[in-house]
Amino acid sequence: MIKTLYYYYYLFYKKILRDNESHLLATLVLAFSFSLLLIMTINISMAYFFSKALGYYEMIGINVLMIFILYLTLHRTGKAIKIVKEKPMFFKNHVLSILITFLFFAATSSYLFWGSICVGNILGTR
């Protein structure tokens, strides 16, 4: 799944935005998407089970940690170039892969908008 998401993020930055650092941007955006997914899971779980929420510094720390991990595993090792050469897809379907990648990005990014409302409702502060 990560390989396919990386590949389609890379294609977006290479073909659509025509950026000259497509590999690095794809790594950063994939790390950001996964950090938002992780933050969402931790924050909602903590609010529901422990009546606490993550602070800003914890969220930033998770984001920086995910960027660092994916940078080291994908970009620094050269694995990103191998992924682009493989051209992975979901179910061997280009259109479906684009749709799943877009929905993943939209779903994780939407947490920026509804996350505080959801956690606030769980904690009773809204």
Side-chain angles (χ1 to χ4, degrees):
M1 177 181 171
I2 291 176
K3 289 181 178 182
T4 307
L5 290 173
Y6 177 85
Y7 176 64
Y8 281 94
Y9 282 2
Y10 168 80
L11 285 181
F12 175 75
Y13 285 107
K14 186 71 174 175
K15 306 266 180 182
I16 307 284
L17 295 183
R18 299 188 190 281
D19 195 277
N20 59 353
E21 277 296 326
S22 305
H23 282 290
L24 181 60
L25 284 174
T27 303
L28 293 175
V29 174
L30 184 64
F32 181 69
S33 294
F34 275 110
S35 71
L36 286 177
L37 183 64
L38 186 60
I39 289 168
M40 174 182 62
T41 304
I42 292 171
N43 212 12
I44 291 174
S45 299
M46 280 182 59
Y48 186 76
F49 292 115
F50 304 114
S51 298
K52 301 247 185 221
L54 287 174
Y56 297 116
Y57 295 115
E58 289 88 3
M59 290 183 205
I60 291 171
I62 291 171
N63 192 6
V64 169
L65 181 66
M66 286 300 294
I67 289 172
F68 182 71
I69 289 170
L70 284 182
Y71 174 77
L72 288 179
T73 58
L74 290 176
H75 194 74
R76 187 81 173 176
T77 62
K79 201 175 200 180
I81 295 170
K82 293 176 189 172
I83 291 171
V84 170
K85 288 180 183 177
E86 289 175 15
K87 299 180 181 179
M89 291 184 213
F90 291 114
F91 308 110
K92 297 180 183 177
N93 188 332
H94 181 68
V95 175
L96 183 63
S97 297
I98 292 171
L99 181 64
I100 290 172
T101 303
F102 175 75
L103 289 176
F104 177 77
F105 180 75
T108 56
S109 297
S110 72
Y111 180 72
L112 292 170
F113 304 105
W114 63 264
S116 63
I117 296 168
C118 180
V119 171
N121 286 336
I122 292 171
L123 294 175
T125 58
R126 285 212 172 241

